[in-house]
Amino acid sequence: MTETSFAQFLPALPEIYLVGAICALLMFDVFFGLKKPTRTASVALLLLLGGAVATLISADFGHRQVLFSGMYIADDLATLLKLASFLFVAIALFYSGEFLGRRKLQQGEYYVLVFTALLGVLVLTSAGSLLMVYIGVELLSLSLYALVAFDRENGVAAEAAMKYFVLGAIASGIMLYGMSLLYGLSGTLSLAGLATAFSGPNSLGLILGLAFLVVAVAFKFGAVPFHMWVPDVYQGAPTSVSLLVASVPKIASFAVAYRLLAEGLGEVSGTWTQMLSVLAVLSLLFGNLIAIAQTNLRRMLAYSAISNVGFILLGFVTGTGDGYEAALYFTLVYVMVVLGTFGAILLASREGFEADEIADYKGLSSRDPSLAFMVAVLMFSTAGIPPFVGFWAKLRIIESLVNVGHLWLSIIAVVMSVIGAFYYLRIVWVMYFDPPGDLPRGQPRLALRFVLGLNAAAALGLGLFPDVLLNVCQTVLHRG
Amino acid sequence: MTQYLLSTLIWLPIAGGFLTLLLGDGSRNLARWLSLGIAVATFAFSIPLYLGFDGSTAAFQFIERTAWITTFNADYSLGVDGIALPLILLTTFTTVLIVAAGWDVITERTAQYLGAFLILEGLMVGVFAAMDAMLFYFFWEAMLIPMFLIIGIWGGPRRVYATIKFFLYTFLGSVFMLIALIYMYLKTGDYSIAALQQLPLTATEQRLIFLAFLAAFAVKVPMFTITPDGSRELSWLVIALSLIAVVYIGFVALVQQDMKKLIAYSSIAHMGFVTLGAFLAYDIVANTGGVQGAALGIDGAMVQMISHGLVSGAMFLCVGVMYDRVHSRQISPYGGVINTMPKFGAFMVLFSMANAGLPATSGFVGEFMVILASFKANFWYAFAAGTTLILGAAYTLWLVKRVIFGPVGNDHVAALTDLNRREFAILAILAVAVLLLGLWPAPLLDVMRGSTHHLVEQMLSTKLPTP
């Protein structure tokens, strides 16, 4: 029996801090926020920045600590993902401030739900056992279901939330079933225990359990054929929630896939890499092809997300540290760029004009040149054209694939990138080549514009000097 | 200063381009003068590059090297050889003319137009100067963005269709090259082109990589020495494609009703000569080992490429001059232009002659050298290539006859005004360049000499693993 001291809990400070912050935010909203909701918004932003600081304080760089009987892992990867999550959620809330106020959604509960979703992400990044994975997934998913339905009067949002919830519940059930099979075979819930339990030849039970887990992970990622909820949620949810669903949960999905498959079941990677390669190819194929047919920008971004998830999965398909590193880099880059894209939608929207349709961007270059320029940068980045950072992300994945001899997968990936380039280019074409008609002119909103500018500048800066982020990814996965 | 000369040539126009973009259309004249200043300054900086270049050696010069991406082992490494230098000069020279040519023609989104061209100039210099394959690809793909916007915004009818098609085709070609580069990188652990040239590759690998490169660009010839065996083996393919371009496209040009299309097709035929000359060299070294003939083919291809840049540019400008006045690119509304625009007529006839390959113009030198070289490879290659002299003359002279000569066709032509001072200056500069290169090509051939011979030696080398 060891003595319990405060120092033992220090590595879990981000989560502890966030739980405290949730309580504080609830109380603050009741006492000070009801009359002036913008106050709650500002406090929420400050709390998130505080969370980033807490993460840095608790971090023990270069060391991996396993706490609470193996339930909780604190390592550099967790630190990086937590920092990124705090930062990205803060940016997401900043972008959606005006929208929430205009749509009367700026209530304390909204921020609390965002915070609990974030808590789920944090738990997942540090998950050391199947139980933690499940808790994290549920915490994240339940908060997101509620957020999608947050705009009570909106029927489309309610429908999207319903679909999301029903399918999500099935996926959770599948995940639990897979976990129970693995537990039955190995007698342990800890991921480290699983790693040692399954080192021999594959049994049928293991393959079944793995298949269920892969399906659940694919659902959370939104990979084909488990993607049905993605377009409806992206299109139906309030824009601020779509922004959230599109961004930070991708980090969580990466964390689940990494902790569960790469760390816990790395010994039997041969089995799940095959399953993932099918999912990845299908996602690339369907995501890109269906995206071409979309007229709604948010729905197009949903299919684009599906195809990008295909790329992330391809990183896992390699089954090597190099590939996981590429997947991590891709995930961070993708989330950063997608935040900017939704930020641009929010900047283009206003009272009575939600810029959701692609046609709403006609002639944007003459109505709002700086916004059009930023969107063009983000689109070229997502399409993977240098000098923007999206190019390096795709290159990194393809390189890791070629490295393990998956030449055909890499050829499929690049051909689908070319097809994908078409619908990103169409946005640029609509903005730059089409006449503006009588669509509204741009509005200043300088703070939002400035942060969005930084976001686009980051896509260019990290593209010119890709070493910065590439080295970070290499270091946290201990391949330095 | 000379230490960072190449970086200056790349980043000065790019920075200037962004500055011009920032100015916006509010201060249109300022944007024009600024971009002209940047373009002239860039051209001025490229002159010491020519003067300081030693043409007797094949070594890269004006080398700059800094570590760029440690993860990929890719460097920011720049340098020029005798092949890249003339192309860089052509780029900086034509950009000045492009800025001047659009002076009061481009009235919509002027700042964006000028900015895009300056950025494109910097990226193109980057493509020519990159000594690292990843850096090369970086510039190569980035070029697509300004080109996409330039064609899409300021292009003619069906411009959106044209630009999307252009972008996707180029992108598709490039990604295969990217996979080939990654494949070789994983074998060498280095993206420097010099390292890739040392890499041993089997015959199958070389064939596939060759085809991947061919899909991306048929004209970046030095890259093909990475697969010398594959290039020798498959040179017939490129030669056949080139000859088809030369002969078939010549016939297509003959029936065009649109002046711009006619010149575009003639441009394809001329580029056919470039690829023909370059890949004839492989054929010659493979069959006869004749170093002289191979060098002749490469020299001819280079002269043809530079000449094509000048002559086609000038021809398009001539069409632009008429379009600005009559707003038609068709041949039929013109006729007898020489009566109302004598100065313009003189220039147009000169450039048409250069286009048809008249001796004393730059068009003659390149074509003649390539045809001579093709005799050393195969008589029938030379025969097919030689038909272009007839076809080129036919479509160009017929164009001139219908547009320039004859009686005044209609009231539009009767109301034409001759060249203004700006147009006269631009066309005069181009005319001087075309004649200079035609009468005295030595300055160009001298800087290339060392590099050409080195290139031929590489063509002769083999990198098949010895059994």
Side-chain angles (χ1 to χ4, degrees):
Chain A
M1 207 48 208
T2 51
E3 202 178 324
T4 316
S5 71
F6 177 73
Q8 257 188 311
F9 289 93
L10 183 65
L13 185 65
E15 286 83 357
I16 297 170
Y17 167 87
L18 191 57
V19 172
I22 291 171
C23 302
L25 192 65
L26 264 176
M27 298 313 285
F28 180 88
D29 183 53
V30 173
F31 285 103
F32 306 104
L34 288 180
K35 285 196 190 118
K36 238 188 148 189
T38 44
R39 281 187 191 161
T40 318
S42 315
V43 170
L45 271 182
L46 284 178
L47 285 173
L48 286 172
L49 295 180
V53 175
T55 311
L56 282 177
I57 291 173
S58 65
D60 183 9
F61 294 107
H63 295 97
R64 179 188 169 92
Q65 289 178 313
V66 182
L67 304 156
F68 312 124
S69 325
M71 298 281 267
Y72 187 94
I73 299 169
D75 57 4
D76 285 349
L77 176 66
T79 307
L80 173 67
L81 293 181
K82 281 172 191 172
L83 263 182
S85 306
F86 274 117
L87 186 68
F88 288 152
V89 170
I91 295 176
L93 284 187
F94 182 80
Y95 283 161
S96 36
E98 188 270 350
F99 172 85
L100 293 171
R102 168 156 61 81
R103 297 282 288 264
K104 310 265 182 300
L105 299 175
Q106 207 163 37
Q107 302 158 13
E109 291 80 1
Y110 182 89
Y111 296 98
V112 170
L113 281 170
V114 172
F115 275 35
T116 49
L118 177 59
L119 183 61
V121 177
L122 298 192
V123 167
L124 284 171
T125 59
S126 280
S129 99
L130 294 177
L131 207 56
M132 288 288 280
V133 171
Y134 186 72
I135 291 176
V137 164
E138 284 305 279
L139 205 48
L140 171 62
S141 304
L142 285 170
S143 314
L144 288 182
Y145 304 147
L147 277 172
V148 172
F150 201 82
D151 190 2
R152 276 181 308 178
E153 267 108 77
N154 187 343
V156 186
E159 184 192 329
M162 199 65 199
K163 281 180 186 163
Y164 190 18
F165 173 69
V166 171
L167 292 170
I170 294 174
S172 294
I174 290 175
M175 179 178 258
L176 268 186
Y177 189 58
M179 286 177 175
S180 71
L181 280 174
L182 293 188
Y183 177 67
L185 286 169
S186 65
T188 175
L189 282 174
S190 113
L191 293 175
L194 288 180
T196 47
F198 299 119
S199 46
N202 296 349
S203 66
L204 183 63
L206 172 65
I207 294 173
L208 262 180
L210 260 178
F212 283 117
L213 281 184
V214 167
V215 167
V217 168
F219 179 87
K220 295 300 168 196
F221 260 126
V224 176
F226 309 103
H227 66 287
M228 283 80 85
W229 58 275
V230 182
D232 290 331
V233 169
Y234 273 51
Q235 189 183 6
T239 316
S240 60
V241 178
S242 302
L243 160 63
L244 210 64
V245 174
S247 55
V248 186
K250 295 284 181 285
I251 294 181
S253 305
F254 170 82
V256 177
Y258 183 76
R259 296 282 185 219
L260 199 62
L261 299 176
E263 282 195 345
L265 300 161
E267 290 294 323
V268 290
S269 62
T271 317
W272 54 258
T273 51
Q274 276 180 6
M275 303 179 195
L276 284 188
S277 65
V278 176
L279 296 174
V281 170
L282 287 177
S283 301
L284 283 171
L285 209 65
F286 283 93
N288 278 318
L289 289 178
I290 301 179
I292 292 175
Q294 302 308 316
T295 54
N296 181 294
L297 179 60
R298 285 207 257 157
R299 223 174 158 78
M300 187 206 96
L301 287 174
Y303 285 104
S304 142
I306 292 169
S307 71
N308 279 290
V309 159
F311 261 98
I312 299 177
L313 292 180
L314 281 180
F316 281 96
V317 165
T318 60
T320 59
D322 185 44
Y324 306 146
E325 201 184 297
L328 172 64
Y329 182 65
F330 192 98
T331 311
L332 292 176
V333 166
Y334 172 70
V335 171
M336 185 195 84
V337 173
V338 96
L339 272 177
T341 314
F342 274 96
I345 297 182
L346 288 164
L347 181 54
S349 304
R350 68 191 62 198
E351 188 70 53
F353 177 72
E354 299 292 346
D356 278 351
E357 298 293 324
I358 292 177
D360 294 339
Y361 291 81
K362 276 194 174 155
L364 192 69
S365 72
S366 48
R367 294 185 283 133
D368 190 346
S370 68
L371 176 61
F373 187 76
M374 291 186 276
V375 176
V377 166
L378 295 166
M379 285 299 145
F380 280 121
S381 179
T382 327
I385 314 286
F388 303 112
V389 64
F391 166 67
W392 301 110
K394 289 194 172 174
L395 177 72
R396 194 72 188 72
I397 296 275
I398 291 164
E399 188 222 335
S400 68
L401 276 174
V402 177
N403 206 0
V404 291
H406 284 313
L407 211 53
W408 278 111
L409 280 180
S410 65
I411 289 175
I412 293 175
V414 296
V415 171
M416 295 323 288
S417 293
V418 176
I419 294 176
F422 174 78
Y423 56 82
Y424 300 120
L425 285 182
R426 197 174 50 176
I427 307 293
V428 179
W429 137 21
V430 165
M431 290 191 307
Y432 278 87
F433 307 161
D434 284 353
D438 52 359
L439 289 164
R441 300 188 66 79
Q443 43 197 346
R445 284 200 228 151
L446 292 176
L448 175 51
R449 196 173 287 269
F450 177 71
V451 178
L452 196 59
L454 287 184
N455 200 330
L460 177 61
L462 288 173
L464 290 176
F465 303 100
D467 233 12
V468 185
L469 193 55
L470 280 168
N471 284 344
V472 169
C473 292
Q474 198 168 54
T475 315
V476 299
L477 290 179
H478 292 298
R479 289 179 62 254
Chain B
M1 187 63 236
T2 55
Q3 199 185 349
Y4 297 111
L5 201 53
L6 284 173
S7 280
T8 313
L9 288 179
I10 295 173
W11 298 107
L12 174 70
I14 292 181
F18 274 106
L19 204 63
T20 313
L21 281 183
L22 274 181
L23 278 179
D25 277 357
S27 39
R28 193 164 286 152
N29 262 324
L30 186 60
R32 282 181 185 133
W33 283 107
L34 175 74
S35 50
L36 184 66
I38 301 270
V40 170
T42 313
F43 179 59
F45 276 119
S46 65
I47 291 173
L49 195 70
Y50 176 77
L51 295 178
F53 188 83
D54 177 7
S56 60
T57 158
F60 280 88
Q61 297 166 41
F62 298 96
I63 289 179
E64 290 172 41
R65 187 190 298 272
T66 331
W68 182 34
I69 314 174
T70 49
T71 320
F72 295 118
N73 208 357
D75 287 337
Y76 175 79
S77 66
L78 303 172
V80 284
D81 61 359
I83 309 265
L85 178 68
L87 298 173
I88 292 178
L89 286 173
L90 181 67
T91 309
T92 56
F93 175 65
T94 39
T95 306
V96 176
L97 297 182
I98 287 168
V99 170
W103 201 260
D104 40 36
V105 179
I106 303 291
T107 48
E108 267 181 53
R109 306 202 208 178
T110 315
Q112 289 181 27
Y113 177 83
L114 296 168
F117 265 110
L118 287 178
I119 293 170
L120 183 62
E121 178 190 14
L123 296 173
M124 268 160 76
V125 174
V127 166
F128 295 133
M131 289 194 350
D132 182 280
M134 193 35 76
L135 188 65
F136 163 75
Y137 189 84
F138 183 82
F139 283 125
W140 170 261
E141 283 273 292
M143 260 172 38
L144 285 179
I145 297 177
M147 286 168 92
F148 175 75
L149 293 173
I150 288 169
I151 302 173
I153 297 178
W154 297 278
R158 303 230 300 160
R159 58 184 196 277
V160 174
Y161 170 78
T163 196
I164 293 270
K165 191 167 159 184
F166 156 78
F167 191 103
L168 293 180
Y169 267 87
T170 320
F171 193 29
L172 184 68
S174 311
V175 292
F176 286 107
M177 168 172 71
L178 182 64
I179 290 190
L181 289 179
I182 293 173
Y183 182 83
M184 290 191 286
Y185 158 70
L186 290 169
K187 293 195 141 195
T188 57
D190 192 348
Y191 270 118
S192 85
I193 294 176
L196 300 184
Q197 267 157 355
Q198 306 293 324
L199 175 74
L201 290 165
T202 67
T204 321
E205 283 172 337
Q206 289 201 30
R207 267 180 228 133
L208 289 173
I209 293 170
F210 173 87
L211 292 175
F213 280 7
L214 192 61
F217 39 68
V219 288
K220 179 83 182 172
V221 182
M223 288 290 266
F224 286 96
T225 56
I226 291 176
T227 59
D229 307 283
S231 301
R232 281 199 298 272
E233 183 187 321
L234 293 173
S235 61
W236 64 269
L237 176 65
V238 185
I239 291 174
L241 290 175
S242 310
L243 287 174
I244 291 172
V246 168
V247 179
Y248 170 71
I249 296 295
F251 279 109
V252 175
L254 211 46
V255 298
Q256 294 307 312
Q257 297 300 316
D258 180 314
M259 290 189 283
K260 210 172 159 190
K261 274 193 177 173
L262 191 148
I263 297 166
Y265 279 111
S266 100
S267 163
I268 299 174
H270 284 116
M271 287 316 278
F273 258 89
V274 176
T275 48
L276 178 68
F279 283 87
L280 269 176
Y282 282 106
D283 206 64
I284 294 171
V285 294
N287 294 333
T288 64
V291 177
Q292 290 298 327
L296 191 64
I298 292 179
D299 280 344
M302 280 298 296
V303 176
Q304 176 75 358
M305 188 140 53
I306 303 289
S307 155
H308 164 262
L310 298 172
V311 175
S312 281
M315 291 293 284
F316 279 124
L317 270 175
C318 287
V319 176
V321 165
M322 288 189 280
Y323 180 81
D324 292 338
R325 288 165 172 74
V326 181
H327 297 287
S328 170
R329 281 191 269 267
Q330 297 294 312
I331 294 174
S332 48
Y334 296 93
V337 170
I338 191 100
N339 297 308
T340 44
M341 297 177 75
K343 289 182 207 159
F344 170 75
F347 279 121
M348 174 101 177
V349 171
L350 170 71
F351 292 127
S352 303
M353 289 304 152
N355 201 40
L358 186 78
T361 64
S362 62
F364 170 73
V365 183
E367 282 183 14
F368 188 64
M369 287 166 88
V370 172
I371 293 176
L372 270 187
S374 52
F375 264 113
K376 307 214 171 185
N378 184 322
F379 169 77
W380 292 107
Y381 290 169
F383 180 81
T387 56
T388 189
L389 295 178
I390 301 164
L391 280 172
Y395 59 70
T396 322
L397 292 181
W398 198 28
L399 172 76
V400 170
K401 180 203 163 266
R402 284 181 291 174
V403 172
I404 300 290
F405 295 120
V408 171
N410 52 46
D411 294 349
H412 285 302
V413 175
L416 284 176
T417 49
D418 209 345
L419 298 174
N420 61 30
R421 251 184 287 169
R422 180 181 56 82
E423 290 165 335
F424 186 85
I426 297 169
L427 291 177
I429 292 173
L430 278 168
V432 170
V434 165
L435 287 174
L436 258 185
L437 195 56
L439 291 170
W440 193 44
L444 174 61
L445 293 171
D446 284 345
V447 294
M448 291 174 2
R449 187 151 295 131
S451 302
T452 313
H453 278 275
H454 181 63
L455 202 60
V456 174
E457 278 164 28
Q458 281 181 322
M459 290 176 167
L460 278 164
S461 69
T462 180
K463 53 205 305 196
L464 295 177
T466 40

